[in-house]
Amino acid sequence: MTNYKKTKHQLKGEIKNISCGDEYCRITIEAPAMCQVAEPGQFVMVRAAEEKSNDPLFRRPFSIHQVADGLLTIIFKIVGRGTRNLAKMKTAELLDVIGPLGKGFHVANMQRHYLVGGGMGIAPMHFLAESIYKQHPESEIIALLGARTAKELDAFAHLNSLGYLQVATSTDDGTSGHHGLVIDLLEQSVAARGSGAVYCCGPGPMMKAIALFCKDKKMPCQVSLETVMACGVGACLGCAVSGADVIGDGYLHVCKDGPVFEAAKIWV
Ligand SMILES: Cc1cc2nc3c(=O)[nH]c(=O)nc-3n(C[C@H](O)[C@H](O)[C@H](O)COP(=O)(O)OP(=O)(O)OC[C@H]3O[C@@H](n4cnc5c(N)ncnc54)[C@H](O)[C@@H]3O)c2cc1C
Ligand code: FES
């Protein structure tokens, strides 16, 4: 049974499914109210301390990977204390979640959409692909997924079975798809198919290179930034980044103003 508490954006959602390997976990919780209002590119803050402990104190941010039938899924890499604790959780336990938070991707009214994900930056692309398909079923939706090695792509293998999504991969070591960078795939795809809207999430240098490529090709580009976050709601100012198009106090706050930004707001 789901136990809603405090506000409609905070709940203890029952874990319907959890599957973890050595490095990655996928958790699906019951969260019907969140699913109704969630947009692709938004994230949730998850309490990642063990029961009766406050360590780590701060919640951890994770992109919304998928929403379907009132169920919300996140996929994460196990990197430290919080994610190690989360990986120990079991089906039917309650996960303490705040969300959906931040500003997500704006689905462009275009015929072609390039979803470019690097590493765990692939996580928001499932929800985004589904949203684009729902709004523009006739459009071409192309996912370009980059990772260091094929093993890192395993957590996202299910994207290959979405009939409306064309998937190409690249790896640094050549163990899956193109041997090289994901921007090579974007350059090749744009040369072969033509321009389109670009949605990007991954390491900073990758996104910057893609933003500059898009600027050169005059293609609209949105980037989803990742910073360390303490509160996730604009209160601690810990996630400030300086943008190209600075406003107010001169900083953009990734949790509140983003995490998704027009690329030109970050990199001219
Ligand atoms: C908006 C947003 C969405 C995110 N979505 C996802 C997602 O869908 N899947 C996913 O796996 N991760 C995602 N992350 C990153 C995730 O929040 C961190 O990996 C997580 O907070 C680490 O918690 P921890 O307690 O396990 O690690 P910690 O003990 O806090 O840190 C362990 C190690 O991981 C490094 N680390 C911590 N945070 C990050 C980070 N944000 N990026 C890179 N390295 C980090 C630390 O520097 C340290 O070396 C997202 C981050 C943001 C800001
Ligand atoms: S994480 Fe606290 S203001 Fe963004």
Side-chain angles (χ1 to χ4, degrees):
M1 269 298 276
T2 299
N3 170 26
Y4 294 95
K5 56 177 264 189
K6 293 185 184 166
T7 74
K8 72 172 181 176
H9 292 302
Q10 177 172 4
L11 64 79
K12 284 182 183 277
E14 182 180 326
I15 297 179
K16 290 297 187 185
N17 192 271
I18 175 163
S19 57
C20 296
D22 297 344
E23 292 182 48
Y24 301 96
C25 269
R26 178 189 176 99
I27 299 184
T28 298
I29 60 162
E30 190 184 28
M34 283 186 188
C35 290
Q36 266 182 11
V37 294
E39 292 174 4
Q42 287 189 299
F43 64 97
V44 291
M45 294 292 284
V46 179
R47 186 175 185 279
E50 284 180 327
E51 209 183 355
K52 295 181 184 157
S53 160
N54 278 328
D55 182 37
L57 182 61
F58 298 117
R59 290 165 182 273
R60 299 300 195 239
F62 299 103
S63 303
I64 300 173
H65 175 68
Q66 192 185 7
V67 298
D69 304 324
L71 301 176
L72 185 150
T73 299
I74 57 172
I75 294 185
F76 59 88
K77 186 171 184 179
I78 303 166
V79 294
R81 284 173 308 153
T83 44
R84 270 198 298 276
N85 288 341
L86 289 173
K88 290 184 209 151
M89 294 197 74
K90 302 268 182 289
T91 302
E93 284 184 338
L94 299 178
L95 190 68
D96 192 331
V97 182
I98 295 177
L101 298 170
K103 295 189 173 65
F105 289 105
H106 162 71
V107 173
N109 187 11
M110 290 184 76
Q111 262 307 102
R112 191 171 297 108
H113 305 265
Y114 293 105
L115 283 52
V116 188
M120 291 316 293
I122 299 169
M125 297 306 175
H126 190 167
F127 188 12
L128 176 61
E130 280 186 343
S131 301
I132 295 172
Y133 180 63
K134 274 186 196 148
Q135 292 178 46
H136 304 288
E138 305 303 326
S139 69
E140 224 182 324
I141 313 173
I142 303 133
L144 306 174
L145 312 179
R148 277 178 300 158
T149 184
K151 197 166 187 298
E152 285 186 4
L153 293 167
D154 286 354
F156 302 104
H158 53 286
L159 294 181
N160 290 305
S161 61
L162 300 178
Y164 56 83
L165 186 66
Q166 302 172 51
V167 180
T169 60
S170 71
T171 45
D172 295 352
D173 63 1
T175 47
S176 170
H178 167 68
H179 188 173
L181 302 175
V182 74
I183 191 171
D184 304 337
L185 291 179
L186 181 63
E187 288 173 2
Q188 290 161 14
S189 297
V190 170
R193 301 162 185 269
S195 64
V198 174
Y199 313 80
C200 189
C201 185
M206 172 200 121
M207 289 199 290
K208 184 173 182 182
I210 285 170
L212 296 178
F213 170 76
C214 292
K215 186 183 175 213
D216 188 48
K217 296 287 177 193
K218 298 188 171 37
M219 301 197 308
C221 177
Q222 297 169 61
V223 292
S224 180
L225 299 191
E226 202 178 288
T227 57
V228 173
M229 288 185 182
C231 74
V233 293
C236 72
L237 308 185
C239 63
V241 294
S242 57
D245 178 16
V246 289
I247 46 169
D249 62 6
Y251 288 94
L252 297 165
H253 299 106
V254 173
C255 69
K256 192 163 60 78
D257 302 319
V260 177
F261 297 90
E262 295 295 334
K265 262 199 182 309
I266 308 299
W267 297 292
V268 179

